[in-house]
Amino acid sequence: MASSTLSGDLIENLQLGTQLNIAVGGYIVSGTLTRVGNDYLYLAPIKVPFANILYIEEVS
């Protein structure tokens, strides 16, 4: 299981279909990465703004 704080390198290396836990403002959002946008990560049907992400963890 790999985890990291948010960085440009991490965002560039994320693979679609990866199961993620993302800490966002006191909540944990879990889901499968379906799309990486310019300002958002998409874990359908949830759209998570980069600016609000505190922590990303890949679930293996």
Side-chain angles (χ1 to χ4, degrees):
M1 178 168 46
S3 62
S4 178
T5 55
L6 185 64
S7 71
D9 290 339
L10 175 65
I11 297 301
E12 289 177 13
N13 291 322
L14 286 174
Q15 301 272 331
L16 296 182
T18 302
Q19 189 74 19
L20 299 173
N21 290 332
I22 300 176
V24 182
Y27 296 94
I28 301 292
V29 176
S30 296
T32 302
L33 183 65
T34 56
R35 185 174 140 206
V36 178
N38 290 333
D39 296 321
Y40 296 92
L41 290 180
Y42 294 84
L43 288 79
I46 300 167
K47 178 169 77 168
V48 182
F50 290 152
N52 295 349
I53 296 174
L54 302 173
Y55 185 83
I56 296 177
E57 177 180 55
E58 287 184 54
V59 181
S60 54

